[in-house]
Amino acid sequence: MASELEPEVQAIDRSLLECSAEEIAGKWLQATDLTREVYQHLAHYVPKIYCRGPNPFPQKEDMLAQHVLLGPMEWYLCGEDPAFGFPKLEQANKPSHLCGRVFKVGEPTYSCRDCAVDPTCVLCMECFLGSIHRDHRYRMTTSGGGGFCDCGDTEAWKEGPYCQKHELNTSEIEEEEDPLVHLSEDVIARTYNIFAIMFRYAVEILTWEKESELPADLEIIEKRDTYYCMLFNDEVHTYEQVIYTLQKAVNCTQKEAIGFATTVDRDGRRSVRYGDFQYCEQAKSVIVRNTSRQTKPLKVQVMHSSIVAHQNFGLKLLYWLGSIIGYSDGLRRILCQVGLQEGPDGENSSLVDRLMLNDSKLWKGARSVYHQLFMSSLLMDLKYKKLFAVRFAKNYERLQSDYVTDDHDREFSIADLSVQIFTVPSLARMLITEENLMTIIIKTFMDHLRHRDAQGRFQFERYTALQAFKFRRVQSLILDLKYVLISKPTEWSDDLREKFLEGFDAFLELLKCMQGMDPITRQVGQHIEMEPEWEAAFTLQMKLTHVISMMQDWCALDEKVLIEAYKKCLAVLMQCHGGFTDGEQPITLSICGHSVETIRYCVSQEKVSIHLPVSRLLAGLHVLLSKSEVAYKFPELLPLSELSPPMLIEHPLRCLVLCAQVHAGMWRRNGFSLVNQIYYYHNVKCRREMFDKDIIMLQTGVSMMDPNHFLMIMLSRFELYQIFSTPDYGKRFSSEITHKDVVQQNNTLIEEMLYLIIMLVGERFSPGVGQVNATDEIKREIIHQLSIKPMAHSELVKSLPEDENKETGMESVIEAVAHFKKPGLTGRGMYELKPECAKEFNLYFYHFSRAEQSKAEEAQRKLKRQNREDTALPPPVLPPFCPLFASLVNILQSDVMLCIMRTVLQWAVEHNGYAWSESMLQRVLHLIGMALQEEKQHLDNVTEEHVVTFTFTQKISKPGEAPNNSPSILAMLETLQSAPYLDVHKDMIRWILKTFNAIKKIRESSSTSPVAETEGTIMEESSRDKDKAERKRKAEIARLRREKIMAQMSEMQRHFIDENKELFQQTLELDASTSAVLDNSPMVSDTALTALGPAQTQVPEQRQFVTCILCQEEQEVKVESKAMVLAAFVQRSTVLSKNRSKFIQDPEKYDPLFMHPDLSCGTHTGSCGHIMHAHCWQS
């Protein structure tokens, strides 16, 4: 068929080339109905130029289109030869100060980390190299295509908005100058006419949905029976499926099929067959039949060649409009006016609206072309950018719904233009106040997540593939919300406050649907059969993390907004608690004379959820009340008196107990889904709005309630209340024949509970909780990361949380806390912690994983040993709490806390009678250390008119009350100091006792200490002091005696070496073991020895000190000391045998110690050489 057409095509070409653009333009200038004239011209010529055969000839088509179709338009627009007209327009135009270069896929882009308002503000390479930002910290990425250069946009940059090239264009800019003043009225009128006709034509033909007939204006009489079978792209079918189907449908080779598939993927559509209607319809039916088995079939249409021709020219026309407006800002302004002018149908009838609302119906190539036209026109004109933003916001819900149901990637959707609009601060603010954009985005998002449980919470369990696909696409709305919030307002209007709070209400509704979602119950008996869906909920949490942080940042900027947001959040939280019907009966807990009423609830038996975003948002806002001092300025405006601390702490506490129980191995049967949830809960990507906020919420609750009550509720939730409320429960528990796992679980739970108390008191580096700033917080994170090991820059950055601008804040503080060690010939440069920062190390830093904590402890102890320091790792001195949280420290001196400390120490003192662990003791010692540090700080900072109410030292000096009459905490610590089985903790106990004495001296020398002791207590303390002084004196005498003996031995060794230099030289050549023996043995000259008689030489007694490999206690080997043993392996040996053939008749009666002269068989005893206490070996 192609060969038959060739002579005809050549004849058409000749007639087309004879057309005169100038004559056609002249005819149009005289026309009374220009639209009709132009449409007739297009109807006649477009089908003759485009789509003349099975294969396109783009170069030839473009050449003819320029000559016959576009040339007359250019002549008409200029009123003269465009070769002269366009340069004149360009010369009259004042060049734009905006760059606006549209990026191609893979093109490099640059963003300044110091000056960009947000990470989406980028420069092209040319502008970047000519700007001040090349000397700043910058980020280089490759474009996915579709964005444009922000050079010249003053709202995108904090400083240096112009490069050298565009700075030249800013000198004469007048505010809001109309670019049309540079054009003559004739040019304006003609441009308006031709733009209106051509833009309407392009929109009409591109959105045309009929396959066989054209719009009436473009229909021609002599219509040929030539059709195309047009295959469209989708993101469902694979390349292989399409190639295989095409080979069957159109009988092409694999190479041709690959070419078709590649073009379809790139441009969005491609004709795969050309001919009459029946011929093309046959191919269509084969394609549909072959691709509809598993999924929806490939989209394929049989289209008349004239429709395809007009659509191809419509695309060419949009390209042409984009290039023409580049000559003059005036032409750009006219195109914007034409595009946004409302049509006869009213709402959404403008050409721009029609294109946007039909976006998902267009193929990929058409979308890309008109998106680029919008970027080079509407987004480059500041006046019309605002008007376009309003149209975009009004249609937002419809555009997003189209995108969600469409299957193309976001970069090919008009919805992707949100990044160009919402990140402009002035536009974002305007859209929030005038179009209520925040509420629209959030409600649109929630409309797409309709799968809820009975309580109205999101439910992702048993999601179908279609719902999962939809959920992935709907996440882009969260990104839009992030764009709107990324630039914080400097000034607040009443309208902005009102609309932001309205958006905040909608956001709380979203969080309310997440509060308590994906609840889990402990699996008992058998392992869970099917892993539940957990990823969707955590994906949602991760995506929202920065949005939640930014919401809090916005609230912090205005006191009225913060107060209202706090009230709203509290109201929603109370609604959520009303919805959680746990059905537990009330119970009363009592310890140490304190009682509290709570509910009976067991995390290990009831439902529990890790998702509590409403609680966590309230915690964040509460901290902001403290940080901004609103809580102290306007207490009457806040509902602080209405707060119920037990209600606030309940769910975050359950979540932390869940983590503790998982760590204790109680939830093993729930599978990996729960392990993964706990991992992400603590992970650097989520912890800021999950784990950290739960700690803050507990701190909030503790600061507002009696610490004794809090500790009792905590013991109840950890399921440890029975152990600490019943005297000797621990002894009974361990003496009963109990399952080993239960003992281990309880020990782990006690350790985790003590760790949580350490965190509640010690984690005060969030601005608003403690008197610190954001810099102190980052410094502390870095110090603790570098305490584990020296780290490279990239490794350190990964361990720090990023803000919404992908910044960690590391660079601003790293030099204050670390040295940079340059790399050698191989390897990486490393940051090493400065020695002076080691004192800020906290062994129980809350962002350590268990492995990191272990490594950090080992590294810090090793460092202390190298520096010949005490290996204790005492708690660091902490900054004071903010006033709103100041009462939190009283938890350390509360009666229940002292009871817990006393109980654990009692277990350690009577270590054989109880089930306890060293980790438990270590945590108690750390808490005691924290309390002593706190008291010391209180004493150091006290003023004359204040009395120090923190009296921990006095409380730990008092013995326990009847009926137990247990010794005081201090007495037990002194007992444990000499315990051989706690050698590792001796340094810490020594540090505690030393600090206790220092505080005691301060109290004695200070008149501020309250006189609260009774005479009996004073006498008891003084008698204990005497005992302690006596013990100390005896220890000192023993130490001096040891030093004297060692000095004598050392002197004798030196004397011997001096006299026997030659002999000593020989000893150096002996092996290490021999030299060790010589070094340790006292040497006396042979000539001076007298064995018997009154002048017998007094040889110093040889002393041998050994260390038990099991308990690590060092002990001198003496007859009266504990027995020391070696593990040995005794076996039969024939190494020295002279008669290997001899057979022992009765091995039982054979005595191996008395051997036959033929040495037929002997014994060999081997030992590893590790010495142990006999009792350690037996136990």
Side-chain angles (χ1 to χ4, degrees), residues 794-810:
S794 57
E795 197 178 0
L796 196 50
V797 166
K798 280 178 193 169
S799 66
L800 299 173
E802 289 182 344
D803 65 8
E804 65 274 12
N805 291 326
K806 298 182 180 173
E807 293 292 337
T808 59
M810 186 188 98

Side-chain angles (χ1 to χ4, degrees), residues 266-395:
R266 185 188 67 229
D267 299 338
R269 73 177 192 179
R270 171 73 162 88
S271 64
V272 293
R273 178 169 276 186
Y274 174 73
D276 59 30
F277 181 80
Q278 201 61 42
Y279 187 53
C280 295
E281 187 65 35
Q282 180 195 348
K284 175 185 174 179
S285 63
V286 175
I287 292 171
V288 170
R289 190 170 63 249
N290 270 294
T291 57
S292 58
R293 283 171 192 152
Q294 284 97 12
T295 56
K296 66 173 187 177
L298 276 166
K299 183 183 175 185
V300 58
Q301 290 180 349
V302 175
M303 302 174 72
H304 194 273
S305 59
S306 60
I307 296 176
V308 180
H310 278 285
Q311 288 188 340
N312 285 2
F313 178 63
L315 290 185
K316 180 67 182 172
L317 202 54
L318 293 182
Y319 271 124
W320 178 78
L321 286 170
S323 63
I324 291 296
I325 61 175
Y327 290 115
S328 166
D329 285 354
L331 299 181
R332 178 184 289 115
R333 174 64 60 92
I334 293 167
L335 184 65
C336 294
Q337 286 175 352
V338 167
L340 285 169
Q341 189 172 6
E342 214 163 76
D345 302 333
E347 182 76 14
N348 289 337
S349 62
S350 74
L351 297 173
V352 166
D353 285 329
R354 283 174 64 187
L355 271 177
M356 286 199 296
L357 295 174
N358 282 288
D359 184 75
S360 62
K361 296 174 187 172
L362 296 177
W363 63 100
K364 197 188 282 187
R367 294 186 196 189
S368 298
V369 172
Y370 94 81
H371 293 172
Q372 288 203 6
L373 180 64
F374 279 11
M375 279 192 273
S376 57
S377 57
L378 295 165
L379 297 181
M380 289 289 286
D381 188 302
L382 297 178
K383 178 184 174 184
Y384 280 90
K385 189 174 186 177
K386 283 187 180 177
L387 297 174
F388 174 60
V390 171
R391 298 306 314 147
F392 188 86
K394 283 188 185 298
N395 288 313

